[in-house]
Amino acid sequence: FEDRYAETKGYDSFAADKEELSNFFETKVKEKIGDHAVIGTNPKDQTIYNVCYDCNIPLWNEIYNRVVNIGTNSGVKLNWDEIKHVIRFTFIWFPPGGLLPPHTAEKFRALSAFNIPLRGKTEIDFYEHVDNRPGDAIEKHEYFNPSFLNVNRFHGVFNNTDEERMILKTHLLT
């Protein structure tokens, strides 16, 4: 998906790291941060947990260390310390039937995101651009490993399963 999406190949112990990060969310993030449904989404369709550096430095650092470990083990060739000051983390949880309509990073400016699938079936839909709005669906892709997403190209999510779905989105603001 040129100029839209790239999935890493993951690594042998990714399943264990994914489970640990999911448990970390439940025990350290969920109750402490709470839903930040301020980006115009319906909380019945998804729940957003934004963790910015200034909001909670110790918690942000714990997430950062886990993301760097997952990224490095996935073969990502970034110097995470060089972009550390422009990273923001968002856990996005979808109930069964939850959705995120086609969109771009209009309300939250970022150039790309490093997405880590944590729970459920992680599919993403890509859409054409027609006069700066989403056109027809181009492709649906199910991913299993950490991935990069161009958040300035139209994409969306529909959790059409009976299970919850959750990812950790690492916004790369540079």
Side-chain angles (χ1 to χ4, degrees):
F1 302 112
E2 187 175 338
D3 193 32
R4 290 181 183 269
Y5 182 82
E7 183 173 357
T8 71
K9 293 180 181 179
Y11 53 97
D12 289 340
S13 60
F14 175 60
D17 288 345
K18 178 168 92 167
E19 184 175 338
E20 191 280 330
L21 183 54
S22 181
N23 291 334
F24 175 82
F25 167 80
E26 285 296 325
T27 59
K28 299 277 183 108
V29 177
K30 188 174 182 179
E31 297 304 319
K32 188 173 282 191
I33 300 299
D35 180 22
H36 290 159
V38 295
I39 60 169
T41 61
N42 183 340
K44 292 178 184 174
D45 289 330
Q46 64 176 285
T47 305
I48 306 292
Y49 301 86
N50 286 316
V51 182
C52 60
Y53 182 78
D54 294 343
C55 303
N56 188 324
I57 296 169
L59 182 64
W60 188 96
N61 276 318
E62 287 188 74
I63 297 167
Y64 173 81
N65 290 334
R66 286 168 170 82
V67 168
V68 169
N69 177 62
I70 289 171
T72 301
N73 287 334
S74 294
V76 173
K77 305 292 187 208
L78 286 177
N79 183 333
W80 294 93
D81 285 336
E82 283 186 3
I83 61 171
K84 186 175 186 177
H85 64 289
V86 290
I87 291 177
R88 184 170 179 175
F89 301 112
T90 304
F91 290 88
I92 306 175
W93 179 85
F94 294 87
L99 65 96
L100 180 58
H103 67 285
T104 61
E106 178 183 342
K107 305 217 187 249
F108 183 72
R109 299 307 302 158
L111 295 178
S112 64
F114 181 60
N115 292 347
I116 301 171
L118 296 175
R119 299 179 187 165
K121 186 175 185 177
T122 47
E123 290 183 328
I124 187 165
D125 298 310
F126 301 105
Y127 298 85
E128 292 178 335
H129 281 249
V130 178
D131 298 326
N132 208 26
R133 60 180 174 74
D136 293 334
I138 297 172
E139 183 75 35
K140 178 184 290 291
H141 177 71
E142 181 177 5
Y143 61 101
F144 303 92
N145 297 304
S147 305
F148 284 94
L149 172 67
N150 179 345
V151 295
N152 294 299
R153 306 288 291 169
F154 282 104
H155 59 283
V157 170
F158 175 57
N159 183 13
N160 62 354
T161 72
D162 293 332
E163 298 179 6
E164 67 179 338
R165 175 193 195 273
M166 186 169 73
I167 68 164
L168 172 58
K169 179 177 285 293
T170 301
H171 296 96
L172 304 174
L173 306 177
T174 186

